[in-house]
Amino acid sequence: MKEGADLLRIVGYQVQRAGMLMVMDARATLAPHEISPAKMTALILIRDNPGSDQTALGKALGVNRSSAMKLVNFLADRNLIERRPGRDLRTNALHLTPDGERQVSAILADLRVSDERMTAALTADEVKTLVALLRKLGRPAMNGGRQSL
Amino acid sequence: MKEGADLLRIVGYQVQRAGMLMVMDARATLAPHEISPAKMTALILIRDNPGSDQTALGKALGVNRSSAMKLVNFLADRNLIERRPGRDLRTNALHLTPDGERQVSAILADLRVSDERMTAALTADEVKTLVALLRKLGRPAMNGGRQSL
DNA sequence: TATTGTTATACTCTATAACTATA
DNA sequence: TATAGTTATAGAGTATAACAATA
C-alpha cells in the first residue's frame, strides 16, 4: 500500500510510524529480559532521577498517576527498584536496587544494539540532526521572544 | 524529570516520545469527529489505495488481520467506507463512500492544523529534513549495493 | 496447502473515579 | 483545599487461535 501525498506531509504520522517500527524492534530485542520498552524507559528515568516520586515519573512518561503505579509495581515486584520514604509522608522516593543497577546496564546494552540496527541507514551526523529536530516538536516556535501576529 | 545521557542517545526513545506528543495533540483535535488518529490513518490509506483488501491495510498499519477487521468494521459502521467484491471470492475491496470522501477532507483540515501547531518550531526545510530522515529508519544501510563486512 | 475473512478470547496499556492519608 | 498514593473498574487496542470459504 502506498502513502499518498497527505500522509507523506503529515509529520505526526511519519514520526508515529517510525516510532512504531523502532519500538517493535526494541520490544522483540528486550523480550528475553521480560521487560517492555516503556518499562525500560521508566527504569532508566528512575536511575537518572533518583528520589523522584511516582507522579513525576508519570508526567515524564506521559501517563497519569494510576498508570505510573502499575509501572512502579512491576519494577518493584522484580526487585529492580524500591520505594523509600519521600520528602513528606505522602510521597515515595524511587530508587534502583543494586540488582536494578546491574540489570539496567545489561538490558541497555541490548537496547543499543536494536537502536543501532534500526538507525544503520543514517550517518552519525544525520542521527544528531534527527534527534535535534525531534526535540523541537510540540514546542512553540522560536522567534527571539518577540510575539508573532 | 531529566532525560539522562542514555535516553538522549537512544533514537527509538526520542522518536517514540515525539510521536506520542504529536498523537496526543492529534487525538484531542480529532475528538469532535469521534475518530482516533489511527482510524483516520486507515481512512486515508483506503482513500489513497482504493480496492485494497483488509490484510494489506493491516500490513500498512503494522497490525494483523483481526485488528484490521476492527478498524474496517468501525469505518464501515459509520458509512465512511464500504466493502465491495474483491479480486477473488475471499477478498474485500475497500472503498470510501461518498460520505467518507466528504468527511475525510473535513477531518484532514483539522488534522493539518494540529500538525502545523506541533511543528511550528521548525522551518519548512527542517520539516523536509525530518521526514526524510524518519523514512530512512528501520531500513538497511545504503552503501552503493556493495556488501558490508 | 495457503490465504482471506471472520469470530471468540485474552492480554496490555491507559484513564476515570473514588478513597485515605497527608499537606 | 490540594496533593500523593492507592484501588477497582472500564475502555481501547492488539494478538492468538481457531474455523469456513476459497485459491
Side-chain angles (χ1 to χ4, degrees):
Chain A
M1 259 181 141
K2 245 174 71 175
E3 295 173 2
D6 284 314
L7 283 183
L8 286 174
R9 261 198 230 109
I10 297 170
V11 181
Y13 166 78
Q14 296 290 337
V15 177
Q16 141 71 24
R17 175 161 181 78
M20 183 189 72
L21 295 174
M22 302 283 291
V23 169
M24 281 176 66
D25 193 84
R27 185 176 306 279
T29 300
L30 298 190
H33 297 284
E34 292 182 306
I35 192 169
S36 69
K39 282 163 185 159
M40 181 57 185
T41 299
L43 190 57
I44 298 174
L45 278 171
I46 294 166
R47 185 196 58 174
D48 292 345
N49 299 274
S52 299
D53 62 39
Q54 300 180 185
T55 301
L57 177 66
K59 191 177 288 187
L61 293 167
V63 301
N64 69 7
R65 281 179 298 158
S66 81
S67 299
M69 258 291 295
K70 295 227 173 178
L71 292 174
V72 170
N73 283 343
F74 176 93
L75 298 172
D77 287 350
R78 276 154 190 77
N79 261 305
L80 299 172
I81 66 170
E82 60 185 2
R83 291 171 163 107
R84 297 190 197 157
R87 64 183 179 285
D88 64 44
L89 288 176
R90 293 175 301 181
T91 58
N92 296 324
L94 303 175
H95 293 269
L96 261 66
T97 61
D99 206 52
E101 298 278 5
R102 232 171 292 127
Q103 287 207 45
V104 72
S105 301
I107 303 172
L108 205 39
D110 281 354
L111 185 56
R112 287 203 196 93
V113 171
S114 161
D115 207 64
E116 282 162 22
R117 173 172 54 242
M118 298 299 280
T119 57
L122 278 67
T123 67
D125 266 2
E126 284 175 330
V127 168
K128 268 185 75 171
T129 301
L130 173 59
V131 171
L133 293 176
L134 287 170
R135 292 179 66 82
K136 291 173 103 172
L137 290 175
R139 306 177 197 289
M142 298 283 296
N143 52 12
R146 269 163 271 120
Q147 201 69 19
S148 25
L149 310 181
Chain B
M1 259 181 139
K2 245 175 72 177
E3 294 173 359
D6 284 314
L7 284 182
L8 286 173
R9 260 197 232 109
I10 297 169
V11 181
Y13 166 78
Q14 296 290 338
V15 177
Q16 140 72 23
R17 174 161 182 79
M20 183 190 72
L21 294 175
M22 302 283 292
V23 169
M24 281 176 65
D25 193 84
R27 184 176 306 279
T29 300
L30 298 190
H33 297 285
E34 292 181 306
I35 193 170
S36 69
K39 282 163 184 162
M40 181 57 185
T41 299
L43 189 57
I44 298 174
L45 277 171
I46 294 166
R47 186 197 58 176
D48 293 344
N49 298 275
S52 298
D53 63 40
Q54 302 180 181
T55 299
L57 176 66
K59 190 177 289 189
L61 291 168
V63 300
N64 69 5
R65 279 180 300 157
S66 81
S67 299
M69 260 289 296
K70 296 224 172 179
L71 292 173
V72 169
N73 283 344
F74 175 93
L75 297 171
D77 287 350
R78 276 155 191 75
N79 261 305
L80 299 172
I81 66 170
E82 60 185 3
R83 291 172 163 107
R84 296 191 197 154
R87 63 182 181 284
D88 63 45
L89 288 176
R90 294 174 301 178
T91 58
N92 296 323
L94 303 175
H95 292 269
L96 262 64
T97 61
D99 206 52
E101 298 277 4
R102 234 170 290 127
Q103 287 207 46
V104 73
S105 302
I107 304 173
L108 205 40
D110 282 353
L111 185 57
R112 286 202 196 94
V113 171
S114 161
D115 207 64
E116 282 161 21
R117 174 172 52 241
M118 299 297 281
T119 56
L122 278 67
T123 66
D125 267 3
E126 284 175 330
V127 168
K128 269 185 75 172
T129 301
L130 173 59
V131 171
L133 293 176
L134 286 170
R135 293 179 65 81
K136 292 172 101 171
L137 291 174
R139 307 179 196 290
M142 297 282 296
N143 53 10
R146 271 164 267 118
Q147 200 72 20
S148 26
L149 308 183

